[in-house]
Amino acid sequence: MSDKKDEENLENEGDGPTTVVYVFPNGDRYEGECSRSDSGELVKSGVGKHTSANGLTYIGEWREDKMQGRGTLQYPSGAQYEGEIKGNMYHGAGTYTFSDGSMYKGHFHENRLKGVGTFTDVEGQVWTGEFHGKEAIGLKLQPVSPKEEA
C-alpha cells in the first residue's frame, strides 16, 4: 500500500487504526485497517479484506503489509485455506480445502503440510498421520462407524 492515498478515503477515529477502502492501479482492492509505517506510508495493519484482480480473496489479520495472524484465503478455483498465517504463508494450525472437496486439517510450516494432520478424501474416507510436505508416512485409514454407513 505504498502508493499515496487520497485523504477522502481515510476514516480515523482518534489514535486507533485508520480504516481505508483502496483500489490499487492493478485492480486489487483493500478494505480494512491500516497504520503508518516508520517512513510515513500507509501499510495494511489490523483486520481487512484484500481482493486481487484475479479473484483471490484474503480476509483476516495483517501486520506491516503482510498477512499475519488468523485469516481465510479463497482461491478462484474454489480451494480455500482457513487458519494461522505468518509472513504471507500458511504457518500453524489450519484447514486447506482443495477445489475437488478433499480437505487437510492439521499443521503447516511455511506453506507446507507439516506434522500431525487429517486428510479427508472426496469419498469421505479419513486418513490420519504425520505429514511432511508431499509425503505422508504411516497414514492410517479411520474406520467408518456403522452409524455413518447407514
Side-chain angles (χ1 to χ4, degrees):
M1 286 188 51
S2 59
D3 296 325
K4 298 282 184 200
K5 303 284 180 282
D6 183 334
E7 294 300 321
E8 292 178 17
N9 292 331
L10 301 178
E11 295 176 22
N12 193 348
E13 297 179 15
D15 294 331
T18 300
T19 302
V20 299
V21 174
Y22 186 75
V23 178
F24 293 84
N26 68 354
D28 287 6
R29 178 182 172 95
Y30 178 75
E31 301 174 51
E33 298 173 333
C34 63
S35 60
R36 294 229 179 252
S37 68
D38 292 339
S39 65
E41 295 176 328
L42 283 176
V43 294
K44 296 174 226 160
S45 187
V47 177
K49 175 182 180 181
H50 184 108
T51 304
S52 68
N54 67 5
L56 176 71
T57 301
Y58 173 73
I59 301 169
E61 298 173 322
W62 294 86
R63 184 173 167 197
E64 297 178 8
D65 249 0
K66 293 188 179 193
M67 296 179 287
Q68 182 90 9
R70 290 206 51 85
T72 301
L73 268 164
Q74 298 170 331
Y75 294 88
S77 67
Q80 176 177 293
Y81 173 81
E82 183 174 352
E84 297 174 8
I85 297 176
K86 181 178 179 183
N88 289 338
M89 293 188 277
Y90 313 150
H91 196 85
T95 301
Y96 188 93
T97 304
F98 296 85
S99 57
D100 67 1
S102 59
M103 178 176 56
Y104 169 81
K105 184 174 185 174
H107 291 275
F108 292 81
H109 180 80
E110 296 179 351
N111 281 346
R112 297 177 59 94
L113 309 181
K114 180 78 173 188
V116 176
T118 302
F119 178 80
T120 305
D121 65 24
V122 294
E123 296 173 3
Q125 296 178 13
V126 179
W127 301 83
T128 60
E130 190 83 19
F131 291 80
H132 300 280
K134 294 181 179 179
E135 297 178 5
I137 301 168
L139 283 186
K140 294 187 171 121
L141 178 62
Q142 298 300 303
V144 177
S145 69
K147 186 186 219 180
E148 292 174 3
E149 289 178 346

